[in-house]
């Protein structure tokens, strides 16, 4: 094709002569062997031969001389994981080793490798060196020439290097600078420090002067109240050379301007970087979920530079993507090609689901609603908040991602909120969520600290956001882009923010506030609306989308922390009904097998040095808060193992109360996301799944309280309200059975009634006083059972107790557990009532089909067991317990 600008400059020449002369001049200017239209890009991964060392002249050299030599490195990776592999650093997750490795994040490091470049690569018109992620301050040199200074962990860096490279060996050196060492001297000179999150427990930064605010880096690595301070550095994403010629396909996206049951009106959008003007043919072929195939094409005119071109597509009666529980997770596969002069010069593939997403905020008698509507169907969001899976992202494998997300799906969740203090997850995460039907609430990476208001910081963040939205926008699972976590509510209500406003005065306060509005209400909103207008944007969590104060129950989303952080009683959950509760939580310990892995026997007490090191809430005092709730509801644990068990029971029953209150309040409330799904390391936290993927009691409870159909019985002030909650899209008729019996099995009374269960609703089904339920029976020795029956089959059951567990007269249940001969199932039975039955196999990992459940008198259950251990090993390790006997007798407890 002929450059149109060159043609226009030859006004006196014949058209044919002008085209020939232009083509001849273009070819003359090309390097030897480069063709005019080019071929598909050549990609050379830069993943082998890497070495690392402590940067020469480091102040840490004397204490760590072995780190000065070159050692084998892994890319992608981090300095910390490379040090672990070289046996130059102890495992920071073991005992209290975290304190011993703080020097790593305070030092500068060098990485190097040799790029072997052949003549074929250099024959391309362009050769780019691409870093998908550098953490974070990094200087890059190629054959001694500085080519890049990176300053954002979340950005991709592309550097033209064709004129620097030569055939054969080329030396690539990356110097990583400690973000703390780089920024702290500058911060000390500033008149004030913007409020951050958690001060360092190790003295490497002064109290109240945190550098994490000022750098685009994963904030959680500086330490949080559920994870360690491990300030990583590294080449944390892949590196590659890309060779291309006159045209590069920079992006391929399937936009969804309109999708409904009748038709999907799409746009296959191509972003092309072209060296010259001319014609190109765009081809798009797609395969539907049922295997049928279609295609479309469009001829376009390209100009020199960046071209945004597209092919319109219409699909009749699309096979739409649905969230879990509402339909199939249908995915279409699209293949796009760019053809020039009959040759395919670039191509790309995308997989996406076709769906419409709305964040509906209608005014009603409770205020203003907050509900996700997918394909026209209002969805009650059931799920949890997700934090990073590891302190070092390179250790997170696709298999770990799959297991975690499958666990969420198995617990009947349909939404996860990716919290803003971590990092944007890998493509494998979102692809798995797409297939499982898990809706994703995606925060931009701001965890709560107040950001700087300078334009350079905002522009850096804008480019980060553009890259991340473009990378992720074809995933149907993403249903919301959110500007940040808790920045607005923190600024409005947290004490240190209030103190700062008083200290800096009105004028400077106005600049800080204007900076936050510019970043979250304008910059990030503009990016989301420009690059993915079919998905809503929300300014902050919690907020009213910058339309008023944050964290109000009648509008927007809500974070509720009076329980736990405020030490309020668990029943306080019943006193507030927000439109969408996107955070609330209670802590617990991980299972004993996990604790055994990071401790020795002497460490296993709540107040030991090591257990405090793995309890990040309140600087290690969080175990006192755990005991406060355990003692208040269950009594004094009889030993450490009982403390661990009771912490999980307390967490599970407390979160169940809150979640069922929210579900029963539909449509007043339309979302329950508890804090948090997972752990970043082994320790005490709010997670329902621990670092090793082991389910706590809460995860098992979640599978029940998030079930598609649930009978909910909530007792408050001596009255019990019964609701029938259904996520089904069609109504159905059923029977509600209510019975009361003694804990020894003695019947008290029973009642059955026909009920109609409404679709996508909570239906009131009963209101009972204690007297109406008990009929004179002893409340300390009685249990009420609410059961929903569909054609005689129980589809949901709820057991209700008339007081706190510590005030009940729980009998010895006479528990018995028997493993099958092949070790694939276990049957557990109880002679009398058994509360919170917990089956365990010690240090032998085994996944049970259920756990942390109640057994009625004379009842037995058979559970499936999945384990790599053989039957004899499992049989010897099998243990079963319940609330009975988990606490000391009243005479032995503390006053």
């Amino acid at each position: 094709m002929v450059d149109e600008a060159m043609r226009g400059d030859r006004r006196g020449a014949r058209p044919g002569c002008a085209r020939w002369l232009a083509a001849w001049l273009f070819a003359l200017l090309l390097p030897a062997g480069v063709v005019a239209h080019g071929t598909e890009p050549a990609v050379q991964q830069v993943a082998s031969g890497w070495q690392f060392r402590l940067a020469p002249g480091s102040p840490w050299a004397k204490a760590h001389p072995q780190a000065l030599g070159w050692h084998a490195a892994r890319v992608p990776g981090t300095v910390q994981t490379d040090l672990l592999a070289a046996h130059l650093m102890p495992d920071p997750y073991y005992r209290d080793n975290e304190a011993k490795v703080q020097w790593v994040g305070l030092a500068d490091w060098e990485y190097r490798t040799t790029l072997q470049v052949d003549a074929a690569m250099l024959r391309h018109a362009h050769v780019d060196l691409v870093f998908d992620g550098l953490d974070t301050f990094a200087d890059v040199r190629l054959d001694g020439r500085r080519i890049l200074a990176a300053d954002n962990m979340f950005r991709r860096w592309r550097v033209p290097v064709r004129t620097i490279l030569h055939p054969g060996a080329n030396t690539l050196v990356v110097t990583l600078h400690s973000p703390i060492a780089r920024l702290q001297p500058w911060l000390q000179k500033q008149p004030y420090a913007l409020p951050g999150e958690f001060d360092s427990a190790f003295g490497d930064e002064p109290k109240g002067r945190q550098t994490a605010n000022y750098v685009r880096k994963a904030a959680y690595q500086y330490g949080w109240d559920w994870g360690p301070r491990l300030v990583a550095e590294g080449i944390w994403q892949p590196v590659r050379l890309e060779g291309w010629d006159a045209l590069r396909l920079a992006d391929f996206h399937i936009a969804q301007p309109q999708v409904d049951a009748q038709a999907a009106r799409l746009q296959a959008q191509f972003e092309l970087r072209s060296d010259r003007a001319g014609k190109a043919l765009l081809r798009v072929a797609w395969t539907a979920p049922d295997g049928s195939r279609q295609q479309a094409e469009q001829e376009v005119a390209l100009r020199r530079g960046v071209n945004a071109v597209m092919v319109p597509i219409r699909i009749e009666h699309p096979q739409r993507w649905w969230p879990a529980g509402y339909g199939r997770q249908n995915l279409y596969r699209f293949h796009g090609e760019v053809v020039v002069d009959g040759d395919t010069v670039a191509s790309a593939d995308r997989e996406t689901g076709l769906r419409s997403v709305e964040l509906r905020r209608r005014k009603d008698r409770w205020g203003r609603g907050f509900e996700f509507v997918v394909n026209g169907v209002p969805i009650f969001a059931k799920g949890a908040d997700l934090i990073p899976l590891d302190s070092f992202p390179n250790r997170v494998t696709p298999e770990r991602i799959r297991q975690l997300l499958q666990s969420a799906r198995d617990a009947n969740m349909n939404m996860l909120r990716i919290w803003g203090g971590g990092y944007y997850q890998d493509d494998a995460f979102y692809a798995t969520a797409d297939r499982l039907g898990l809706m994703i609430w995606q925060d931009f990476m701001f965890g709560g600290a107040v950001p700087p208001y300078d334009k350079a910081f905002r522009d850096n963040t804008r480019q980060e956001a553009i890259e991340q939205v473009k990378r992720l926008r074809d995933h149907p699972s993403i249903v919301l882009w959110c500007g940040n976590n808790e920045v607005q509510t923190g600024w409005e209500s947290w004490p240190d923010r209030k103190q700062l406003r008083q200290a800096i005065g009105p004028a400077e306060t106005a600049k800080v506030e204007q900076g936050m509005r510019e970043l979250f209400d304008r910059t990030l909103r503009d990016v989301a609306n420009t690059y993915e207008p079919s998905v809503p944007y929300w300014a902050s969590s919690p907020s009213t989308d910058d339309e008023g104060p944050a964290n109000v129950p009648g509008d927007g989303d809500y974070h509720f922390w009076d329980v736990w952080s405020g030490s309020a009683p668990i029943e306080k959950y019943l006193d507030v009904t927000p439109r969408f509760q996107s955070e609330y939580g209670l802590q617990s310990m991980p299972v004993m097998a996990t604790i055994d892995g990071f401790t020795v026997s002497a460490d296993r007490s709540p107040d030991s040095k090591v257990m405090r090191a793995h309890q990040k809430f309140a600087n290690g005092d969080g175990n006192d808060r755990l005991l406060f709730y355990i003692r208040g509801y269950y009594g004094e644990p009889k030993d450490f193992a009982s403390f661990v068990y009771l912490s999980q029971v307390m967490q599970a029953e407390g979160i169940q109360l809150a979640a069922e209150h929210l579900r029963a309040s539909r449509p007043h409330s339309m979302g329950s996301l508890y804090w948090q799904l997972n752990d970043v390391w082994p320790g005490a936290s709010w997670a329902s799944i621990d670092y090793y993927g082991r389910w706590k009691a809460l995860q098992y409870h979640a599978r029940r309280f998030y079930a598609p159909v649930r009978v909910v019985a909530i007792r408050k002030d001596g009255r019990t309200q019964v609701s029938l909650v259904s996520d089904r899209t069609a109504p159905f008729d059923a029977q509600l059975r209510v019975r009361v019996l003694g804990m020894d099995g003695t019947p008290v009374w029973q009642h059955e009634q026909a009920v109609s269960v409404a679709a996508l609703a909570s239906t009131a089904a009963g209101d009972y006083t204690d007297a109406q339920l008990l009929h004179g029976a002893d409340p300390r020795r009685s249990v009420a059972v609410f059961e929903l029956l569909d054609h005689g089959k129980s589809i949901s059951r709820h057991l209700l107790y008339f007081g706190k567990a510590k005030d009940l007269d729980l009998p010895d249940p006479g528990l018995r557990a028997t493993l099958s001969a092949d070790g694939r199932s276990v049957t557990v039975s109880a002679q009398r009532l058994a509360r919170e039955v917990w089956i365990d196999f010690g240090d032998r990992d085994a996944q049970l089909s259920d756990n942390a459940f109640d057994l009625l008198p004379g009842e037995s259950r058979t559970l499936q067991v999945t384990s790599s251990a053989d039957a004899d090993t499992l049989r010897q390790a099998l243990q079963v317990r319940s609330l009975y006997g988990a606490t000391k007798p009243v005479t032995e407890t503390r006053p």
Side-chain angles (χ1 to χ4, degrees), residues 232-248:
E233 301 172 48
I235 306 170
W236 79 293
Q237 294 285 7
V239 185
R240 63 188 175 278
L241 280 175
E242 288 186 6
W244 56 284
D245 295 310
L247 182 144
R248 179 169 67 86

Side-chain angles (χ1 to χ4, degrees), residues 595-801:
I595 294 173
D596 290 347
F598 69 81
T599 62
V600 297
S601 178
D603 300 329
R604 294 167 198 153
S605 66
D607 58 354
S608 74
K609 180 181 178 182
V610 168
M611 291 307 298
R612 287 179 59 85
H614 285 253
Q615 166 60 272
K616 295 301 181 181
F617 180 77
N619 297 313
D621 291 337
N623 290 341
D624 292 337
R625 187 68 53 86
L626 274 174
L627 283 167
F628 167 79
Y629 280 105
I630 292 170
R631 289 167 178 156
Y633 287 86
Y634 301 93
E636 186 70 25
K638 72 174 183 181
D639 53 27
F640 181 70
S642 297
F643 162 71
V644 169
Y645 163 75
L646 289 170
S647 75
Q648 291 198 18
V649 170
M650 179 274 295
Q651 178 194 40
E653 294 191 341
I655 297 303
Q656 176 172 327
L657 179 68
E660 293 192 329
H661 164 62
L662 295 170
R663 292 194 71 191
S665 299
R666 178 177 184 161
H668 186 170
S669 181
M670 284 298 291
S672 162
L673 304 179
Y674 65 74
W675 186 271
Q676 63 207 60
L677 178 67
N678 62 304
D679 266 335
V680 73
W681 81 324
S685 80
W686 294 265
S688 57
I689 303 174
D690 76 19
Y691 174 73
Y692 296 106
R694 295 166 175 147
W695 286 28
K696 299 184 185 180
L698 172 56
Q699 189 71 11
Y700 289 102
H701 274 245
R703 180 155 56 193
R704 296 189 286 271
F705 64 66
Y706 279 156
V709 176
R710 180 72 174 162
V711 56
V712 175
I714 294 179
R715 180 177 178 268
K716 182 181 180 183
D717 300 328
R719 296 190 72 94
T720 298
Q721 292 186 332
V722 183
S723 302
L724 307 177
V725 178
S726 176
D727 293 334
R728 294 183 183 178
T729 55
F732 66 98
D733 294 329
Q735 290 290 119
L736 175 64
R737 181 167 65 195
V738 183
R739 52 188 171 132
V740 178
L741 60 155
M743 294 180 182
D744 61 356
T746 303
V748 175
W749 78 284
Q750 179 172 314
H751 169 73
E752 277 195 30
Q753 66 187 70
V755 291
S756 295
V757 184
L760 301 172
S762 172
T763 304
D767 187 349
Y768 303 90
T769 65
D770 284 354
Q772 289 172 321
L773 288 173
L774 287 166
H775 286 254
D778 186 347
R780 297 176 64 249
R781 296 180 174 87
S782 301
V783 57
V785 184
F786 300 84
E787 209 160 9
L788 191 64
L789 307 173
D790 187 1
H791 295 92
K793 180 182 178 181
S794 176
I795 58 174
S796 180
R797 187 174 85 173
H798 188 119
L799 271 60
L800 181 82
Y801 300 95

Side-chain angles (χ1 to χ4, degrees), residues 450 486-495 497-498 501 513 516 542-544 546-552:
V450 178
E486 294 186 341
V487 172
Q488 182 185 352
T489 190
W491 180 252
E492 291 174 351
S493 60
W494 295 355
R497 275 68 168 164
K498 293 179 180 179
R501 292 200 295 272
E513 292 177 342
M516 288 189 285
S543 79
T544 55
D546 212 30
E547 296 175 358
N551 215 36
V552 294

Side-chain angles (χ1 to χ4, degrees), residues 465-513:
I466 290 172
E467 293 177 12
Q468 294 296 340
V469 171
K470 289 170 71 173
R471 177 174 73 93
L472 300 174
R473 60 186 174 177
D474 283 299
H475 291 287
S477 54
I478 297 178
V479 297
L480 186 74
W481 287 95
C482 180
N484 66 73
N485 170 75
E486 294 186 341
V487 172
Q488 182 185 352
T489 190
W491 180 252
E492 291 174 351
S493 60
W494 295 355
D496 61 337
R497 275 68 168 164
K498 293 179 180 179
Q499 293 167 8
L500 177 74
R501 292 200 295 272
Q502 293 176 351
I504 64 178
E508 188 66 12
T509 294
K511 292 180 181 178
V512 174
E513 292 177 342

